[in-house]
Amino acid sequence: MTTARASAAPDPADPAASAGGGAQGTQGRSRGAGTKGVPRARREEQIVAAALEEFGRHGHAAASMAAIARRVGVTKPMLYTYFGSKDGLYAACLEHIGHRLLAAINAAMASSPSEDRLPHAVLTAVFETLEEQRHAWFVLYDRTLPPGSEPWRTAHRHREAIDDLAASGTAALLSDRGNDDALDADALKHVWTGTVSALVGWWVSHPDLSAHDMSARCARLLSAVRDGA
């Protein structure tokens, strides 16, 4: 998590944290979500993980803060204590998944695969990043975000950074084949980003497939496209 509020202190917003009993009162109790003594940083991680699932499945508009609180096992007011608002929590989710995806794609491109292998390397990085949070992709690419809102601005910033990487990759792919047409490169970037979203959506509907399975499948599909070109 990248929120500035994180710390190693116990959770002050948890009602159990202010209850009496001291150490004896916690003997035999679970240290999971909603229990006394959970560090605030860990609590925020739990909330963001639950929110990524809720927002990714239902979108910003339809997602329920009460449902997120139930997923974590905390009170709804605790979410507002930590993140201020639904928009604040959504923005925290965007920072979490946006930074992870950008770092993974950057690393894949920096590993210097050949231009033919670059698309597969990037797809593999995306799948591995989303392995445990597949719906998080749709938090970043949620079309229901209110224009001009904090989540919209944050999502736009991360999408632009990812689009810049996609643009450089597709331009390099075309240039390797002697094509330096800027409009061709821009069109191919849109084809690529749409393809990635479609593949992630297909993956979500096939939860039995791992990131490794998807990487292998995409290797076969990309090979078929190259062989047929």
Side-chain angles (χ1 to χ4, degrees):
M1 255 290 297
T2 57
T3 62
R5 292 174 288 275
S7 73
D11 185 351
D14 190 335
S18 60
Q24 291 181 349
T26 64
Q27 288 181 357
R29 292 177 57 184
S30 168
R31 297 287 293 177
T35 61
K36 179 179 178 180
V38 177
R40 181 161 182 160
R42 176 58 181 150
R43 181 75 80 204
E44 290 194 357
E45 290 173 0
Q46 293 169 342
I47 293 171
V48 167
L52 281 167
E53 182 77 8
E54 177 72 11
F55 286 132
R57 285 182 178 275
H58 303 291
H60 174 272
S64 164
M65 292 289 274
I68 294 169
R70 285 195 299 272
R71 285 177 181 269
V72 186
V74 299
T75 62
K76 184 177 174 181
M78 185 184 295
L79 305 186
Y80 292 96
T81 296
Y82 282 1
F83 298 97
S85 64
K86 184 179 185 180
D87 282 1
L89 177 53
Y90 200 101
C93 290
L94 288 167
E95 294 290 359
H96 174 83
I97 196 59
H99 285 303
R100 291 188 64 209
L101 280 169
L102 191 61
I105 295 169
N106 257 317
M109 296 180 70
S111 65
S112 301
S114 66
E115 298 303 338
D116 282 347
R117 302 300 174 188
L118 180 58
H120 180 250
V122 171
L123 283 170
T124 299
V126 170
F127 296 139
E128 289 178 347
T129 302
L130 297 174
E131 177 79 86
E132 302 301 326
Q133 298 177 321
R134 301 182 189 190
H135 287 88
W137 178 266
F138 303 106
V139 176
L140 186 59
Y141 289 92
D142 183 357
R143 295 183 179 181
T144 73
L145 296 176
S149 65
E150 180 185 7
W152 184 90
R153 292 193 301 270
T154 305
H156 185 70
R157 172 165 50 84
H158 286 295
R159 288 198 299 259
E160 276 198 328
I162 292 173
D163 278 356
D164 286 346
L165 292 179
S168 66
T170 52
L173 183 66
L174 290 177
S175 181
D176 190 56
R177 289 161 172 74
N179 183 346
D180 294 316
D181 188 291
L183 288 178
D184 279 1
D186 186 59
L188 184 57
K189 181 202 75 172
H190 282 79
V191 170
W192 169 251
T193 55
T195 298
V196 176
S197 283
L199 286 169
V200 173
W202 187 87
W203 187 30
V204 166
S205 68
H206 294 78
D208 54 313
L209 298 179
S210 67
H212 176 78
D213 294 333
M214 284 299 294
S215 176
R217 187 175 303 276
C218 287
R220 296 193 297 271
L221 296 177
L222 290 168
S223 178
V225 171
R226 284 195 300 269
D227 292 345

